[in-house]
Amino acid sequence: MKAVVLAGGYATRLWPITKDRPKMFLPIGDHTVIDEIFADLEADDRIDEVFVSTNERFAGEFETYLAETAFEKPTLSVEDTTDESEKFGVVGALAQLVDREGIDEDLVVVAGDNLISFDIAEFVDFFADAGEPALAAYDVGSR
């Protein structure tokens, strides 16, 4: 099984703090948002490769991060965009990555800018037991 971490957004609603860095590199205590996701994916032996889908604008930051991290599974996959107006949305970015990387097996897809309060391995268990596509959602209760 492969995993995809979608990290290709421009986080324009959080400018200026995300103008020059990806949202998933924002600190959460001693780590970043993406560190928490990578730790879960790295620990699951069923996942043999993690594609990090980002845009051309932030590709350098991800290259540096991946070169310096202890995580072994992540591979950078760069979308052909440099601005929010060029994006095709989440589904378009995922379709492009599948084509670009030639993926033809089960995928677990994680939004790279989300703090996840559940174990990704348990979700993969649920998917395996169900034998069909599955979607995780979080009930925030009352708005």
Side-chain angles (χ1 to χ4, degrees):
M1 174 180 284
K2 307 282 187 211
V4 173
V5 177
L6 296 171
Y10 293 90
T12 56
R13 290 176 289 192
L14 291 176
W15 281 12
I17 63 171
T18 57
K19 188 167 178 73
D20 296 316
R21 72 172 164 184
K23 182 172 26 174
M24 44 294 303
F25 288 157
L26 293 175
I28 304 296
D30 294 334
H31 300 89
T32 65
V33 174
I34 207 161
D35 289 332
E36 299 294 324
I37 294 168
F38 283 161
D40 276 0
L41 297 172
E42 192 87 9
D44 194 324
D45 291 336
R46 296 168 292 185
I47 298 170
D48 59 358
E49 187 169 18
V50 177
F51 291 100
V52 182
S53 180
T54 193
N55 56 60
E56 289 180 348
R57 185 159 140 216
F58 290 138
E61 283 87 347
F62 278 96
E63 287 170 354
T64 300
Y65 170 85
L66 292 176
E68 296 173 355
T69 188
F71 297 116
E72 296 178 5
K73 294 181 183 179
T75 299
L76 190 61
S77 184
V78 181
E79 302 170 5
D80 188 22
T81 68
T82 56
D83 187 79
E84 187 75 37
S85 65
E86 299 171 338
K87 301 278 301 165
F88 294 109
V90 172
V91 174
L94 184 56
Q96 287 179 357
L97 181 135
V98 167
D99 287 344
R100 187 171 55 247
E101 302 298 341
I103 300 171
D104 188 27
E105 59 189 275
D106 289 337
L107 282 175
V108 59
V109 180
V110 180
D113 60 355
N114 282 260
L115 291 174
I116 299 171
S117 59
F118 62 88
D119 185 352
I120 293 175
E122 289 180 16
F123 179 70
V124 174
D125 291 341
F126 175 83
F127 162 74
D129 292 343
E132 59 188 13
L135 177 69
Y138 180 77
D139 182 0
V140 296
S142 173
R143 288 186 261 169

